[in-house]
Amino acid sequence: MAQAATAGATSTDHFVTLMNVMREHHKAMPGKTFALNASPHYTALMALAANDDGSNSAQQLAQLPPAFDDLKAETKAKLSATATTSQTGVQGATNDLSADKNSGSFMQKMQEQRDAAKKANNDAIDSAYDKAIQLGNDHPELQGVLPGAMGFVSDTITTVVSTITNVIEGVLSKIGEILSGLIDGVTNFIKNGFAPIASILSIF
C-alpha cells in the first residue's frame, strides 16, 4: 500500500521519504520498477519543486552535478567487482564438484553465492540512496529530478544482480551434468551467463 503524503511537509521531507520508500522497494522487490507516478510523495514533491517560472527541475536531468556521476561510477565499480567475484565463486564451486563429487558442499557454496548476491544488491542500493539523499539535501533544486535518475540507477543494480542469480540457479539445475563430467558445457553456460553484465554496465 502506498504511504500517504503528510500535509504540511516540505519538499525535502517528501524527497527524503520518497528516496527511502524507493530504497526499500528495490531491496524487497529487485527487478520490479518503482512506479514513481503512483507515489503521493512524488506528486507532492513535484508540486513543491516547481521553479518560479512554473517549470519543474526535470530539465536539469542532463545537468546533474559531478557528485551524481561519482555516485554512478562508484555503483558501477561495485557491480563490476560483484560480478567478477560471483563468476569466480560459481566457477570454483563447479570445478570442485566436478573433482570431488561432493554435492552437499556444492549446494552450500552455491547458497553462499546466492546470499552474497543479495547482500551486494542491498549494499549497492543503500550506498547509492544514501548519496542521493545527501545530494538532494545539498542541492534542493535537484530534488524533483533525482527520483527519476535514481530509478535508472536502481534498475541497473537489480538487473545486474538478477543476472547473477539467474546464472546461479541455472548452474544448480545442471548438477547432474557436472557430476557426469560434462563440465565444459557448464563452464560455457557460466561464461555466457555473466557476459551481458559488461554490456549493461557499459551504458550505465
Side-chain angles (χ1 to χ4, degrees), residues 102-118:
N102 188 334
S103 58
S105 176
F106 172 75
M107 296 297 289
Q108 179 179 349
K109 291 172 184 175
M110 295 299 279
Q111 182 59 51
E112 289 170 356
Q113 292 300 319
R114 277 199 197 103
D115 293 342
K118 181 177 180 179

Side-chain angles (χ1 to χ4, degrees), residues 82-93 106-120 161 164-165 168 194:
T82 295
T84 298
T85 300
S86 181
Q87 183 170 357
T88 299
V90 171
Q91 186 64 61
F106 172 75
M107 296 297 289
Q108 179 179 349
K109 291 172 184 175
M110 295 299 279
Q111 182 59 51
E112 289 170 356
Q113 292 300 319
R114 277 199 197 103
D115 293 342
K118 181 177 180 179
K119 183 176 186 300
V161 176
I164 292 172
T165 56
I168 292 170
F194 277 91

Side-chain angles (χ1 to χ4, degrees), residues 25-33 121-122 154 157-159 161-162:
H25 169 90
H26 288 290
K27 288 165 65 174
M29 294 181 281
K32 184 175 181 180
T33 299
N121 180 82
N122 291 348
S154 303
I157 293 171
T158 58
T159 296
V161 176
S162 294

